[in-house]
Amino acid sequence: LRLQPQATEEAEAHAPGTMENLVVATGAIAIEIGGRTERLGQGDAILFQADQPHIYRNPLRQETVAYLVMTYVDPAV
């Protein structure tokens, strides 16, 4: 995930049970999930339920790079 300086990216809710694991490689990011905001810096990580709308914000004047892994629930299980 690359966010340009002071950019915002809004994400729709994913399928029920979907989890996101995000690690900030460079820069900083603020993630709004369910009305609360978590602020992360370089090297910080967060694991959260992504089955609700969420917003990524880069508060800096430099690009932020983060690694994002999504885990989906198998609906057949």
Side-chain angles (χ1 to χ4, degrees), residues 2 5 8 15 19 22 38 48 54 56 58 61 63:
R2 289 181 177 271
T8 298
M19 300 292 293
L22 182 130
E38 298 290 336
F48 64 95
H54 42 287
Y56 307 100
N58 177 357
R61 295 184 187 269
E63 181 181 62

Side-chain angles (χ1 to χ4, degrees), residues 3-17:
L3 287 174
Q4 294 303 309
Q6 301 191 340
T8 298
E9 183 174 321
E10 296 185 25
E12 297 293 324
H14 301 291

Side-chain angles (χ1 to χ4, degrees), residues 11-27:
E12 297 293 324
H14 301 291
T18 300
M19 300 292 293
E20 287 194 23
N21 186 357
L22 182 130
V23 180
V24 179
T26 60

Side-chain angles (χ1 to χ4, degrees), residues 26-64:
T26 60
I29 196 165
I31 303 175
E32 185 178 322
I33 311 158
R36 79 173 204 279
T37 300
E38 298 290 336
R39 290 171 175 77
L40 306 173
Q42 184 173 341
D44 290 338
I46 187 170
L47 175 67
F48 64 95
Q49 291 182 321
D51 53 3
Q52 57 189 318
H54 42 287
I55 300 170
Y56 307 100
R57 288 190 175 90
N58 177 357
L60 304 177
R61 295 184 187 269
Q62 67 186 44
E63 181 181 62
T64 290

